[in-house]
Amino acid sequence: MNPLSPPLALPGVYAPQDDTELLVHALGQESLAPRARVLDVGTGTGAVALAAARRGARVTAVDISWRAVINAKVNAVLAGLSLNVVRGNLLGPVSGRSFDLILSNPPYVPGPEPDPGDGRTGRAAAGRGAARAWDAGWDGRLALDRICRDAPALLAPGGVLLLVQSTLSDAERTLAQVRAAGLWAEVVDRRYVAFGPVLRSRSTWLRDRGLLGDAGADEKEELVVIRAERPC
């Protein structure tokens, strides 16, 4: 089975796209010890988690959506691979554990809707239903900031965080936050991709906010993969 094309994508579950492909490619560049402990945050169909499991890793996959949890479990069975798939909000279900590699393709799309997320409710994204896979608040940082805050403490010495996001949600801020937590961090891959339906519908709003210049008429966004490593 192609790791980027799981056999099943349930309605309402984020199907693998360019950002998934970038993250899987970055995963392929990492050296994984036998039985490495890997965490996939926001697993969706399980595409990234399954790519890690194919390399012999012990993989825990987390998603806030029950439908995604079921989707990932079914895909693991169909692929004949072992995944520990749990439902929960970002890194909450694995608090106190330690991982050699943390992977995440979180919600990162800025949106004009009022942002209902706050620390008291613990919501991971501003959207509802399928939109939870991409809507991430007014600045696109609702999930990213929490991952940058919580992931470093879960990395074993020498452990790595691989995170994919759009530059529309401020990749420099992600780099600054994980560096402030003591990690070595850099952008290791990038790609321009055409706007999908969600960003096309928001292009005027994004331009009014200054996130798109006049060149935004080309309707392309830049995706980046950030690699952050905890020193040994």
Side-chain angles (χ1 to χ4, degrees), residues 89-158:
N89 194 344
L90 298 177
L91 295 112
V94 295
S95 177
R97 293 178 57 184
S98 180
F99 296 93
D100 303 300
L101 178 63
I102 298 176
L103 304 155
S104 188
N105 179 10
Y108 54 69
V109 178
E113 298 84 359
D115 178 2
D118 58 40
R120 292 170 296 177
T121 63
R123 290 193 54 178
R128 292 181 179 273
R132 288 191 299 191
W134 57 80
D135 277 343
W138 188 81
D139 60 0
R141 301 288 313 180
L142 196 56
L144 286 165
D145 285 342
R146 291 183 57 196
I147 293 170
C148 292
R149 180 192 70 197
D150 296 339
L154 302 184
L155 288 174

Side-chain angles (χ1 to χ4, degrees), residues 4 17 38 43 45 56 64 73 98 105 107 112-113 120 135 144 159 170:
L4 296 181
Q17 299 184 39
V38 175
T43 197
T45 62
I64 197 170
K73 287 182 176 181
S98 180
N105 179 10
E113 298 84 359
R120 292 170 296 177
D135 277 343
L144 286 165
D170 198 348

Side-chain angles (χ1 to χ4, degrees), residues 131-221:
R132 288 191 299 191
W134 57 80
D135 277 343
W138 188 81
D139 60 0
R141 301 288 313 180
L142 196 56
L144 286 165
D145 285 342
R146 291 183 57 196
I147 293 170
C148 292
R149 180 192 70 197
D150 296 339
L154 302 184
L155 288 174
V160 171
L161 168 67
L162 289 175
L163 177 72
V164 62
Q165 68 168 93
S166 170
T167 56
L168 295 175
S169 48
D170 198 348
E172 291 300 321
R173 180 168 163 182
T174 298
L175 287 167
Q177 288 180 342
V178 294
R179 286 168 179 164
L183 306 185
W184 299 325
E186 62 180 335
V187 172
V188 294
D189 203 356
R190 59 181 74 236
R191 179 184 301 178
Y192 282 95
V193 299
F195 278 8
V198 174
L199 283 180
R200 282 199 300 270
S201 71
R202 299 178 184 181
S203 59
T204 298
W205 179 81
L206 291 166
R207 192 171 292 108
D208 289 345
R209 282 201 53 209
L211 295 176
L212 292 178
D214 292 338
D218 295 335
E219 295 199 335
K220 289 185 178 181
E221 67 170 326

